[in-house]
Amino acid sequence: MNRFGEMHCSIAQAVGVVAEPWTPLILRDLFLGLRRFDQLSEDLGISRNLLTQRLDRLQAAGVVEKVVYRERPVRHEYHLTEAGRDIVPALITLMAWGDRWSTPPGGPPAVLVHSCGERFTPRVTCPHCGGPADADTITVVSGPGAAQGPGTMVLARPD
């Protein structure tokens, strides 16, 4: 267990669920269509025990659901829930960062193609003006849930 869940911060809460070692890769594989435990274990080379722990944690957080695909003997698949599908834009943005700053030899191992048929690199933009949303263009201010506690010194400063 980690202390991220105790922090009054959305990033810390998210990290507590999806940023443990192996978890982003499990989510990637589920998004790419691997559904069965043996497929995930084989593709990632992860121990069965550790994969079980990560999948159980993702299920408890509501990010992954276990679905029966055969009754006799009982066999399950793992599917992304709505919360799991909502993490995909963050995963592909992380992928774009990796492609730019730590590309494996030979170039990016995958490219993204939008439903319009065009290749693209994800970019975070402002939904109002369409401009880039990056370290040079955004300001963070306290939100309605800002509170003092571990990991919140910057956002919970008294005015």
Side-chain angles (χ1 to χ4, degrees):
M1 259 330 190
N2 56 50
R3 291 194 49 222
F4 294 118
E6 299 170 14
M7 293 184 182
H8 199 77
C9 168
S10 298
I11 293 174
Q13 295 286 323
V15 164
V17 173
V18 300
E20 293 178 316
W22 293 107
T23 300
L25 299 177
I26 293 167
L27 294 171
R28 175 207 62 194
D29 276 6
L30 290 171
F31 171 68
L32 293 175
L34 298 182
R35 301 277 184 263
R36 298 181 182 167
F37 187 92
D38 289 339
Q39 292 174 320
L40 295 166
S41 178
E42 181 180 345
D43 186 60
L44 296 171
I46 185 174
S47 75
R48 297 176 73 77
N49 185 45
L50 188 54
L51 180 57
T52 297
Q53 290 174 8
R54 295 298 188 263
L55 287 168
D56 287 348
R57 186 162 169 80
L58 288 167
Q59 287 177 81
V63 176
V64 169
E65 64 182 339
K66 194 174 184 178
V67 178
V68 174
Y69 72 88
R70 183 170 47 182
E71 292 291 335
R72 291 187 183 171
V74 175
R75 296 285 186 253
H76 297 94
E77 290 184 334
Y78 296 89
H79 294 226
L80 294 175
T81 62
E82 182 179 0
R85 294 182 64 75
D86 276 354
I87 197 72
V88 170
L91 290 174
I92 64 172
T93 301
L94 183 60
M95 179 181 123
W97 183 91
D99 288 347
R100 180 171 181 192
W101 297 104
S102 58
T103 304
V111 294
L112 301 171
V113 179
H114 192 268
S115 59
C116 71
E118 296 295 324
R119 290 182 176 196
F120 75 101
T121 298
R123 306 219 186 279
V124 180
T125 60
C126 172
H128 302 286
C129 71
D134 58 29
D136 296 324
T137 62
I138 63 171
T139 303
V140 178
V141 298
S142 296
Q148 289 189 346
T152 61
M153 289 175 53
V154 174
L155 294 178
R157 272 188 238 168
D159 291 329

